[in-house]
Amino acid sequence: MNLPPNSSQQQQRLVSDINIRLRKFFERRGYELFSTSMLERTDLYLKKSGGELASRMYSFTDPSGAEVSMRPEFTSSVVKNYVSGLLKGPLPQRWTYSGSVFRYEPGFSGEFQQIGAELLGAGSSDADAEIVAMASQSLSTIGIRGHKIRIGHMGVVSEMLECLGLSKRAGVFLLRNIPQLRTGEAGLAQIRESASRFGLLSSGNNSDLARITREMPQQDVIQMIKGFIGDGMHGALGQRTSEEIISRYLEKLREEGQAEFFDIAIELCKELIALAGPPLVARKKLTKLAKAYSIPENVFDPIDSFFDSLGHYDMKNVPLILDLASARGIAYYTGIIFDIENSRIKIGRSIGGGGRYDGLIEALGGKKSLPAMGFALNLEQVANLLPKDYDLDLEETPAKILVTAQETAMSEAVATAERLRAQGFFAEIDLECKDDASAAKYAKQRDIQTIMRVGQDGQVNEQFV
């Protein structure tokens, strides 16, 4: 590029080149470019993150008196535009974006370049695998080596803690604080102090009743409480229904006497930290761990399904780490989470990452919950990992292809799409295995010209729309 090494000009050029190339890579997988506003109302990000980003955002009051913030990430803006109806088209929707984000990070300028993607309306393990594979392969395709993917699952760990008797509130608290357990006794003491301050370790006056309600089916407990209360609530409900009041009371009641469960849950989390490793090895250890804590083996079904789906992709020998003690620190994740790491990045080791956030669309004003999954990459970090012989070689995108399959032929469909992409074609995978008429309708809506239906035997029937 005829630029001095490590110069600011070189860095900017590299980031720009990577951005263009990765956008093309995402577009070939069906992800359309979408631009979001650099300024949003502050409460949009606070609703999404549960306040965890508040101390790192650049916020101010605009002339109208509204509290606004410079964009600290993209996902909430994408979701907001979907909820408002600006993102149109059939589900699932695939969107990609890039640009500056602004967050306070000690030692850095506060402005970072990101590129990422969001998959809205697909909740299967195949959707999870598409996002994780695309994030990893996008780096491999520009010559980056040495990265690894650390994979966790917020839903599985939450269910494990619930199986131990931990309340939802105590479980969320512990999930957010698992990273402190990695610091040893000091971290453990800090967690216990915070838990005590939040009232999670008190024995309570209703601990016996709390124990009984935890052991009973939910519907039986509700009927029991209604029997206790009778008609006493009528006239004093305000805007809440009796069901809402009972549900809230149950949440508070089940937090009574949490101390013993909290200690057991901490021991479980410490063991989760220790067993992180290659998926096959870590999965066998999880079976033993579940047996020791009387946790049903089917708790791990979502993890098994995910790795089965990920096996359809060529991951270019990128190491995978199953680490259920990993936590991305954001409140809205509900399923698979992942971080991309490289030992050459010493400060802020994560190159990028993402996860599943099925409840976020409803939380930001959607009429109903919608499954969603996404990720983002830090382009400055990516630029620092490029090989010395990096060169940009872009070509025009050819005709678009939708690859669809019978339900039992997803592996063959993925393999077909991967071969097409390797040859430079735009290939989108039909995650819902639509019939011919539905696939044709979807393809027309997405401006896709060709449908390739893959059978279980690998045979491909081509249809022009």
Side-chain angles (χ1 to χ4, degrees):
M1 295 183 182
N2 299 319
L3 297 171
N6 301 319
S7 71
S8 174
Q9 185 181 5
Q10 182 188 40
Q11 179 80 353
Q12 292 174 10
R13 175 71 185 278
L14 285 174
V15 167
S16 176
D17 285 350
I18 297 166
N19 185 21
I20 294 170
R21 187 161 181 174
L22 293 187
R23 269 172 33 193
K24 186 72 67 175
F25 182 87
F26 298 155
E27 287 170 0
R28 286 180 179 154
R29 282 146 181 81
Y31 288 77
E32 295 183 61
L33 183 64
F34 178 75
S35 297
T36 71
S37 174
M38 192 172 290
L39 276 181
E40 296 278 12
R41 293 183 67 94
T42 300
D43 62 356
L44 175 69
Y45 301 114
L46 297 182
K47 286 179 182 178
K48 176 197 172 194
S49 67
E52 293 177 20
L53 280 177
S55 63
R56 300 165 59 197
M57 292 193 300
Y58 292 94
S59 304
F60 56 92
T61 304
D62 72 9
S64 73
E67 288 293 325
V68 296
S69 297
M70 300 181 72
R71 180 176 63 206
E73 47 80 34
F74 281 91
T75 302
S76 53
S77 292
V78 173
V79 170
K80 185 199 77 169
N81 281 281
Y82 173 80
V83 169
S84 65
L86 292 178
L87 298 183
K88 301 182 183 299
L91 295 174
Q93 293 185 3
R94 293 171 167 93
W95 300 102
T96 183
Y97 49 78
S98 63
S100 296
V101 296
F102 303 86
R103 292 195 305 267
Y104 172 72
E105 297 280 356
F108 293 92
S109 67
E111 180 180 4
F112 306 88
Q113 296 298 312
Q114 276 192 354
I115 187 168
E118 310 294 334
L119 174 55
L120 309 180
S124 65
S125 60
D126 292 323
D128 293 339
E130 176 172 298
I131 287 290
V132 175
M134 188 169 71
S136 178
Q137 291 174 335
S138 67
L139 298 175
S140 299
T141 199
I142 57 176
I144 289 178
R145 301 291 181 267
H147 59 286
K148 57 186 178 182
I149 315 293
R150 186 175 300 274
I151 297 165
H153 199 295
M154 301 298 285
V156 167
V157 180
S158 294
E159 191 168 349
M160 292 177 73
L161 295 177
E162 187 176 332
C163 287
L164 298 181
L166 213 61
S167 70
K168 183 176 181 180
R169 179 167 169 258
V172 169
F173 170 86
L174 192 51
L175 279 172
R176 291 185 180 180
N177 287 278
I178 282 180
Q180 291 193 51
L181 289 175
R182 298 180 188 273
T183 64
E185 291 300 319
L188 177 58
Q190 189 172 352
I191 288 176
R192 292 189 64 81
E193 180 184 348
S194 298
S196 179
R197 190 165 61 249
F198 288 121
L200 298 176
L201 298 183
S202 60
S203 58
N205 298 321
N206 297 308
S207 57
D208 288 339
L209 181 58
R211 176 181 53 77
I212 293 171
T213 60
R214 283 192 292 267
E215 294 172 353
M216 292 175 61
Q218 176 83 358
Q219 194 58 41
D220 292 348
V221 174
I222 291 174
Q223 291 302 319
M224 180 183 71
I225 293 176
K226 283 184 176 180
F228 290 160
I229 297 174
D231 296 329
M233 285 192 296
H234 294 303
L237 297 180
Q239 295 182 341
R240 292 184 297 172
T241 66
S242 60
E243 286 75 15
E244 289 173 335
I245 291 176
I246 290 173
S247 176
R248 181 60 184 144
Y249 172 71
L250 274 176
E251 288 180 17
K252 288 181 172 294
L253 180 61
R254 284 174 170 168
E255 288 173 4
E256 296 277 4
Q258 284 285 294
E260 58 177 305
F261 302 112
F262 198 83
D263 288 339
I264 295 172
I266 284 179
E267 290 304 313
L268 172 67
C269 290
K270 288 163 69 175
E271 294 198 55
L272 286 178
I273 292 172
L275 63 73
L280 289 177
V281 176
R283 181 63 183 84
K284 290 179 180 179
K285 293 180 179 179
L286 280 173
T287 293
K288 294 180 179 178
L289 186 66
K291 186 176 295 186
Y293 283 86
S294 299
I295 295 173
E297 176 72 10
N298 61 8
V299 165
F300 305 119
D301 286 352
I303 295 174
D304 296 337
S305 295
F306 166 74
F307 281 108
D308 284 345
S309 295
L310 193 63
H312 300 157
Y313 292 87
D314 179 4
M315 295 295 287
K316 307 296 182 184
N317 296 317
V318 171
L320 304 176
I321 302 169
L322 176 57
D323 181 5
L324 291 189
S326 63
R328 305 207 77 242
I330 303 295
Y332 61 88
Y333 287 118
T334 58
I336 284 286
I337 58 172
F338 69 100
D339 276 289
I340 307 175
E341 304 170 355
N342 191 295
S343 59
R344 290 168 55 195
I345 303 296
K346 303 300 182 183
I347 302 177
R349 282 196 162 191
S350 178
I351 306 167
R356 176 160 292 283
Y357 50 92
D358 287 352
L360 183 59
I361 288 174
E362 189 173 20
L364 294 186
K367 294 181 180 179
K368 60 181 180 179
S369 181
L370 188 77
M373 174 87 174
F375 77 98
L377 299 173
N378 182 320
L379 290 180
E380 284 90 355
Q381 298 281 50
V382 172
N384 291 333
L385 297 172
L386 290 172
K388 293 181 180 180
D389 60 353
Y390 172 79
D391 189 21
L392 193 65
D393 183 21
L394 292 175
E395 65 277 352
E396 291 299 317
T397 301
K400 300 179 179 180
I401 301 171
L402 176 67
V403 181
T404 187
Q406 302 168 0
E407 289 186 11
T408 56
M410 183 57 71
S411 177
E412 288 77 8
V414 170
T416 299
E418 291 287 84
R419 286 195 296 271
L420 290 168
R421 293 161 178 170
Q423 297 170 34
F425 288 95
F426 175 114
E428 178 176 331
I429 297 173
D430 172 15
L431 296 172
E432 298 180 348
C433 302
K434 300 177 179 67
D435 58 35
D436 289 343
S438 298
K441 179 181 178 181
Y442 177 83
K444 287 180 180 178
Q445 291 173 315
R446 297 276 293 121
D447 192 29
I448 294 174
Q449 297 83 17
T450 305
I451 299 174
M452 288 188 176
R453 182 171 292 281
V454 184
Q456 185 65 47
D457 58 359
Q459 293 295 315
V460 178
N461 292 321
E462 193 168 330
Q463 174 188 351
F464 297 100
V465 180

